[in-house]
Amino acid sequence: MNRMHALTDSAAPAVPSAPAAPTTLTTLTDLSARDAAHRMASGDLRATDYARALLARAEAIAPFGALRHLDPEQLLSAAAALDAGPRPAAGTRPLHGVPLAFKDNIDVAGMPTTAGSPWMADHTPRMHAGVTQRLLDAGALVLGKTNLHEWSQGVTGHNHAFGPSRNPFDAAHVTGGSSGGNAALLGLRAAPAAIGTDTGGSVRVPAALCGLVGFRPTVHRWPDDGLVPISPTFDTAGVMARCVDDCVLVDHAVTGSPAHLAATPLAGVRLGVPAAYFWEDVDPPVAELARDSMERLRAAGAVLVPCDLAEAGALFQEASMSISLHEILPALAAYFARHGRPFDARALTAAVVSPDVRPLFERLFGDTAVTPEAYAHARHTLRPRMQAAYRECFARHQLAALVFPTSPLTAARIGDDVEVTLCGRRVSAFSAYIRNTGPAGMAGLPAVSLPMGLASNGLPAGLELTGAEGSDTALLALALGAEKALPLAPVAPFVQKLANGG
């Protein structure tokens, strides 16, 4: 049986009273992915019991619009097979029995991949994406497919065809996009980790807006095949979780990097603070949290080094859309060819429902299309200049990472898809939310968003650490150290209600 949870309007639902739940269910849904895998591999926890706990939570949080596809029978059957089989040998199957959620633009064989579009409703891949296959080979199970912004082309997580994903801290507010369903599911503890995609911030933005950790690896570090694309130059799969250590574990399962990392002590670590561009026009509630977070890092021994990366910001503003808008149609055509499906770009555009997404596709045709010359200049001249600016900044200042607010504002209300209020002014929602995350995406750099706690308006915000190209393992170790200095990740009110039994 396949269940689909989706809302079709943007009015905030009445959040249900939390049903009374056995303490064991609440406890199980609080487990980290690493702890759950260890308990199941050692025989202390049955995979079926863990799966049932997550399914019960998924049912309870259905009005938050996190899931697009849920197949309880398939999950329980897979979990039962694990329980009936031998325990994994030490060092193998690091995700043994752990149900992961996958953003619905990542192929899972036998489950629909809609990319958030009704036009793709009949698309059920016969083969896994590369990242899906590696995670299943590591022992993971599939919990389901999560809601997303239509075609991943937005920053709020409000899908006008299937309904919005809703912020765990206030259901009237967005999760951030495009991997918004992941954020709702994780923030409400219906999964220990979730796999998303990040082109300009689609893992990091919802992580920041929902009090989670989001890791974008260096581009092409993770497999690219089987992802519904935007820009092959920028796109990568990534992971969202409630703690950095679970991102370490998932990165290990995908890449074979170390399974355990020691937290890097912050004493003497040089963190670059790019005041121009990245710290400009930060909304007061986020700015207050960010100042406190920087003081916490300084108190833990980090050396905060002023640096100038305004050129990177300017190059992102100039070149990023030329690259992504020129690449998307050929990339989508290649994805469809992989699955033996015909591809009609104009039919796709005509079927777009979300009002903030349709104009992007309409720009792909006629006089508004990016010319090959403009694309070549952006891709082969401007992007290398940006990458060089990052390399020079890291080398000149001997930096371990750059640090700044992940997004300059907290979650907007659902319906504010086109414009939001930032520092008292109405500005483009798309530009505001990816202003700080987009440059790392364009440069192909690894980055981690860490929770900073709750702002004065009661909503979460995040702090990004951006690393040098290929520094993923060192960046995750640094994030483990920074996580110790920052506030504990906030717990959503609905989760607290569930923990209290009603």
Side-chain angles (χ1 to χ4, degrees):
M1 171 181 176
N2 183 65
R3 300 181 187 177
M4 298 177 64
H5 297 308
L7 299 174
T8 56
D9 59 53
S10 60
V15 176
S17 299
T23 302
T24 53
L25 291 188
T26 302
T27 302
L28 291 181
T29 57
D30 289 340
L31 292 177
S32 69
R34 190 184 294 275
D35 195 10
H38 173 74
R39 293 191 188 193
M40 286 183 283
S42 65
D44 292 338
L45 173 63
R46 285 168 45 87
T48 48
D49 291 338
Y50 187 47
R52 289 183 192 280
L54 295 178
L55 288 169
R57 178 60 58 88
E59 190 69 26
I61 60 108
F64 286 86
L67 282 161
R68 285 294 309 134
H69 312 286
L70 181 67
D71 189 340
E73 287 78 5
Q74 183 275 334
L75 174 58
L76 291 173
S77 176
L82 285 187
D83 287 335
R87 295 179 191 171
T92 66
R93 298 176 64 82
L95 290 168
H96 179 79
V98 177
L100 299 177
F102 291 81
K103 183 180 180 180
D104 198 22
N105 67 338
I106 301 173
D107 287 345
V108 175
M111 281 193 173
T113 296
T114 70
S117 168
W119 195 64
M120 292 274 280
D122 65 340
H123 176 47
T124 302
R126 296 188 299 273
M127 51 188 165
H128 294 308
V131 66
T132 306
Q133 188 63 62
R134 291 194 187 183
L135 292 166
L136 298 185
D137 289 345
L141 306 178
V142 177
L143 175 68
K145 305 291 290 293
T146 56
N147 201 4
L148 71 158
H149 211 105
E150 191 174 5
W151 291 107
S152 300
Q153 289 278 5
V155 294
T156 64
H158 184 185
N159 187 305
H160 285 255
F162 300 137
S165 50
R166 298 177 180 276
N167 197 294
F169 291 84
D170 188 332
H173 287 250
V174 300
T175 52
S178 60
S179 309
N182 282 357
L185 199 71
L186 292 172
L188 295 162
R189 307 201 175 190
I195 310 304
T197 58
D198 189 304
T199 301
S202 289
V203 160
R204 292 163 288 156
V205 170
L209 270 52
C210 295
L212 302 164
V213 178
F215 170 55
R216 171 202 164 88
T218 295
V219 72
H220 307 314
R221 172 181 170 88
W222 286 25
D224 298 322
D225 58 296
L227 312 179
V228 181
I230 295 176
S231 164
T233 299
F234 303 162
D235 293 345
T236 180
V239 59
M240 301 166 67
R242 294 193 298 270
C243 62
V244 176
D245 187 50
D246 279 351
C247 295
V248 172
L249 180 65
V250 171
D251 186 62
H252 160 70
V254 175
T255 69
S257 60
H260 297 271
L261 293 177
T264 297
L266 295 187
V269 169
R270 296 173 64 82
L271 300 178
V273 183
Y277 185 85
F278 292 90
W279 283 86
E280 293 175 350
D281 294 328
V282 178
D283 218 39
V286 176
E288 181 182 2
L289 267 186
R291 286 192 296 268
D292 176 70
S293 296
M294 297 299 282
E295 286 305 312
R296 287 171 177 265
L297 296 177
R298 190 196 306 273
V303 179
L304 304 181
V305 183
C307 61
D308 185 0
L309 262 176
E311 182 185 9
L315 288 168
F316 169 71
Q317 299 287 347
E318 181 180 0
S320 61
M321 293 303 289
S322 293
I323 296 173
S324 63
L325 290 177
H326 191 78
E327 291 186 344
I328 186 169
L329 291 184
L332 284 170
Y335 173 85
F336 276 67
R338 165 186 168 94
H339 295 285
R341 290 175 60 96
F343 177 64
D344 184 334
R346 292 191 178 275
L348 181 159
T349 299
V352 172
V353 176
S354 301
D356 57 327
V357 177
R358 179 183 285 271
L360 292 174
F361 279 96
E362 290 174 341
R363 288 175 60 183
L364 303 178
F365 307 99
D367 294 341
T368 57
V370 177
T371 66
E373 295 77 15
Y375 169 72
H377 179 63
R379 175 68 174 79
H380 301 298
T381 299
L382 300 182
R383 182 172 184 260
R385 279 176 50 189
M386 172 193 270
Q387 293 172 311
Y390 272 104
R391 286 193 296 269
E392 193 274 338
C393 183
F394 276 98
R396 174 191 293 182
H397 299 288
Q398 299 179 315
L399 302 178
L402 300 162
V403 60
F404 47 82
T406 307
S407 285
L409 69 166
T410 56
R413 292 186 66 86
I414 291 172
D416 288 346
D417 299 312
V418 178
E419 288 189 339
V420 293
T421 300
L422 174 62
C423 296
R425 303 187 309 278
R426 296 295 286 176
V427 299
S428 160
F430 187 88
S431 297
Y433 279 115
I434 68 163
R435 187 192 77 197
N436 284 0
T437 58
M442 178 173 160
L445 303 180
V448 179
S449 181
L450 301 172
M452 294 194 293
L454 297 180
S456 57
N457 60 7
L459 296 169
L463 190 73
E464 176 163 323
L465 296 173
T466 299
E469 182 179 3
S471 68
D472 302 64
T473 298
L475 180 66
L476 286 169
L478 176 61
L480 286 168
E483 183 179 49
K484 294 178 182 293
L486 296 175
L488 293 175
V491 179
F494 189 59
V495 172
Q496 295 173 340
K497 288 181 182 180
L498 286 168
N500 294 330

